[in-house]
């Protein structure tokens, strides 16, 4: 069977930093939702609702020179990679056999907006570092430099499924034999007010229905749902080749035994039951599993979650 | 503005971009590269110096600069009535 395993985890959200705290927050959620207040992300009219990280984590590996220029997205990615790196015990492994894939595209919109606004009318004084920061691959550079990774590193975009795309690409990179370890990073998309406004106008992001009760706005799978609610978060995991290490027991969180990516020949964000059934069948075939073997299904849970649930019915 | 004042601005900007130099005396004859400024840092140093001095001139004017001393010298020629 074509399989890899997951041996390291890192996560940060508005409600928790670190895997243990994150797990606890899932079962004991406090209220982290309110009005978005980060510079460049505030609304002109009804406030945007979401969850922002109040305090940035310390990243011991981050040197002061990088710290000066690192974006919020970069800082969170480094924190998650640092956690996952230590969790999997990657120090001492051959750096040529480690890869890193960042899931996401246009991750740095808010800070780029701030940089443009700061130098509006004085373009000559735009920070030259903008030329690096506007590319999502800046996260590849930041993380590989900080951790001495010299295997392949690139970004993979798949809209709201980008994190999962990065995991599947990491899985494929390990299965191909190119690397023994591949870190998949679900990068934080640092939305500016412009993206928030467009998502709201599109009906994708929560409207002003809960403007007076922001803590009630985030309600996936609920009849009164009102679109997705933005939350700052990032995660990383280490995908490892089975048998990659010659000695010592390795703790494995999970095995990845099947995956699939397909399109529906459709530009729109509308889901397709036919397409979803096709990828489910692909992945289960690769894993050599039948529906009776499946005990738990975790869905993406977008507004059209009925399509996903109907895709899963026998 | 005299050359000494420009030199202090150059030093402040370099320390801002290369935090490792904070509290150390900077050898103005060292190259910016030897002081720890990579190519992006060097561009940023030039732009920040121009901004600090409100000089809206092309970076080409500073293309040949390699050292803090050279940068100070060049800027002092560009600043009006230096």
């Amino acid at each position: 069977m074509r399989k890899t395993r997951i041996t390291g985890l890192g996560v940060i959200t508005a409600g928790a930093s670190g895997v243990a705290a994150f797990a606890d927050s899932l079962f004991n959620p406090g209220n982290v939702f309110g009005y978005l207040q980060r510079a460049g992300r505030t609304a002109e009219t009804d406030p945007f609702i979401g969850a922002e990280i109040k305090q940035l984590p310390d990243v011991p590996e981050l040197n002061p020179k990088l710290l000066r220029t690192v974006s919020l997205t970069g800082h969170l990615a480094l924190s998650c990679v640092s956690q996952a790196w230590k969790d999997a015990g990657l120090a001492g492994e051959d750096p040529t056999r480690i890869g890193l894939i960042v899931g996401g595209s246009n991750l740095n919109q808010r800070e780029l907006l701030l940089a443009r606004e700061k130098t509006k009318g004085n373009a000559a004084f735009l920070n030259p570092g903008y030329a690096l920061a506007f590319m999502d691959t800046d996260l590849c550079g930041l993380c590989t430099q900080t951790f001495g990774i010299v295997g392949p590193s690139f970004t993979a975009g798949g809209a709201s499924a980008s994190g999962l795309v990065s995991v599947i690409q990491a899985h494929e990179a390990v299965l191909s034999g190119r690397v023994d370890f591949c870190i998949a990073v679900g990068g934080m998309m640092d939305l500016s007010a412009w993206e928030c406004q467009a998502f709201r106008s599109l009906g994708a992001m929560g409207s002003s229905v809960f403007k007076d009760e922001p803590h009630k706005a985030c309600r996936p799978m609920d009849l009164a749902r009102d679109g997705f609610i933005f939350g700052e978060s990032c995660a990383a995991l280490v995908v490892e080749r089975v048998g990659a290490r010659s000695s010592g027991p390795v703790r494995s969180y999970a095995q990845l035994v099947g995956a699939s990516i397909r399109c529906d020949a459709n530009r729109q964000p509308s889901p397709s039951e036919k397409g979803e059934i096709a990828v489910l069948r692909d992945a289960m075939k690769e894993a050599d599993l039948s529906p009776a073997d499946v005990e738990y299904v975790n869905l993406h849970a977008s507004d059209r979650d009925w399509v996903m649930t109907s895709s899963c019915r026998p | 503005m005299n050359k000494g004042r420009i030199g202090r601005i150059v030093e402040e900007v370099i320390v801002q971009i290369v935090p490792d130099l904070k509290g150390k005396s900077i050898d103005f004859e060292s190259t910016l590269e030897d002081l720890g400024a990579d190519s992006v840092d060097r561009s940023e140093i030039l732009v920040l110096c121009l901004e600090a001095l409100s000089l809206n001139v092309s970076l080409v004017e500073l293309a040949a600069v390699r050292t803090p001393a050279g940068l100070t010298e060049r800027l002092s020629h560009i600043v009006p009535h230096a």
Side-chain angles (χ1 to χ4, degrees):
Chain A
M1 186 192 289
R2 283 159 41 95
K3 66 179 179 186
T4 59
R5 59 187 179 182
I6 311 297
T7 58
L9 303 173
V11 65
I12 180 164
T13 68
S17 178
V19 172
F22 175 68
D24 184 57
S25 74
L26 291 177
F27 295 102
N28 302 295
N31 174 44
V32 292
F33 294 95
Y35 301 127
L36 299 181
Q37 293 177 339
R38 225 179 262 290
R41 202 191 282 147
T42 51
E44 288 181 6
T45 54
D46 288 334
F48 299 124
I49 293 169
E52 293 176 330
I53 293 168
K54 297 285 184 288
Q55 190 177 357
L56 285 180
D58 283 332
V59 183
E61 298 87 350
L62 186 56
N63 72 46
K65 195 152 166 286
L66 279 183
L67 184 61
R68 188 184 66 79
T69 55
V70 73
S71 61
L72 174 62
T73 303
H75 194 125
L76 299 180
L78 282 163
S79 169
C80 290
V81 171
S82 170
Q83 294 174 39
W85 181 272
K86 286 177 200 138
D87 195 27
L90 291 184
E93 297 296 338
D94 179 356
T96 66
R97 303 290 300 164
I98 302 174
L100 183 137
I101 300 169
V102 174
S105 45
N106 304 100
L107 292 168
N108 207 14
Q109 297 289 81
R110 187 185 59 85
E111 290 191 17
L112 295 174
L113 173 76
L114 292 177
R116 289 193 291 263
E117 284 183 347
K118 188 180 166 213
T119 46
K120 198 172 182 181
N122 275 306
F125 298 147
L126 179 69
N127 184 337
Y130 183 103
L132 297 182
F134 91 90
M135 288 185 276
D136 296 315
T137 44
D138 188 35
L139 266 63
C140 299
L142 282 168
C143 293
T144 55
Q145 177 177 326
T146 302
F147 294 92
I149 296 167
V150 292
S153 184
F154 53 88
T155 62
S160 56
S162 295
L164 188 53
V165 170
S166 75
V167 174
I168 295 173
Q169 292 304 304
H171 173 65
E172 296 288 344
V174 169
L175 288 176
S176 76
R178 173 63 185 84
V179 291
D180 292 325
F181 307 92
C182 196
I183 302 169
V185 181
M188 185 193 74
M189 186 174 265
D190 192 354
L191 300 183
S192 79
W194 294 103
E195 288 76 47
C196 291
Q197 184 61 50
F199 276 129
R200 177 189 271 179
S201 301
L202 198 63
M205 195 163 125
S207 69
S208 53
V209 170
F210 292 98
K211 69 175 180 179
D212 297 323
E213 300 173 297
H215 57 287
K216 290 185 178 173
C218 184
R219 47 201 316 130
M221 304 283 190
D222 191 280
L223 280 176
R225 67 190 184 275
D226 179 46
F228 82 84
I229 301 299
F230 178 74
E232 291 181 339
S233 62
C234 181
L237 50 82
V238 175
V239 179
E240 178 171 331
R241 180 172 66 79
V242 176
R245 305 191 213 211
S246 52
S247 63
V250 177
R251 180 198 42 204
S252 178
Y253 290 101
Q255 290 185 338
L256 220 171
V257 294
S260 175
I261 298 177
R262 286 196 190 211
C263 301
D264 300 318
N266 175 19
R267 185 191 180 193
Q268 302 303 318
S270 52
S272 149
E273 187 178 24
K274 191 177 160 198
E276 290 180 10
I277 289 172
V279 287
L280 286 167
R281 288 214 164 113
D282 286 347
M284 288 179 55
K285 187 179 177 193
E286 187 184 0
D288 197 21
L289 291 173
S290 68
D293 298 318
V294 179
E295 295 178 340
Y296 174 72
V297 181
N298 195 330
L299 297 172
H300 173 63
S302 68
D303 189 46
R304 305 293 185 88
D305 43 32
W306 61 268
V307 172
M308 293 208 180
T309 47
S310 68
S311 304
C312 293
R313 287 197 189 102
Chain B
M1 186 180 291
N2 65 37
K3 204 193 269 189
R5 174 101 188 271
I6 293 171
R8 282 193 293 281
I9 288 171
V10 166
E11 185 166 4
E12 281 168 19
V13 166
I14 291 172
V15 171
Q16 183 188 336
I17 302 305
V18 188
D20 286 348
L21 294 171
K22 199 172 182 180
K24 296 175 186 166
S25 72
I26 293 177
D27 179 1
F28 265 53
E29 300 302 328
S30 297
T31 63
L32 291 167
E33 193 170 0
D34 286 343
L35 289 170
D38 60 34
S39 63
V40 176
D41 294 337
R42 295 198 293 278
S43 300
E44 200 174 344
I45 287 168
L46 301 185
V47 169
L48 284 174
C49 284
L50 292 176
E51 187 177 11
L53 294 164
S54 302
L55 293 173
N56 211 337
V57 299
S58 168
L59 276 178
V60 175
E61 297 282 336
L62 304 175
V65 163
R66 296 284 175 271
T67 64
L71 178 55
T72 306
E73 181 67 27
R74 191 77 200 97
L75 289 170
S76 67
H77 280 101
I78 301 170
V79 173
H81 315 298

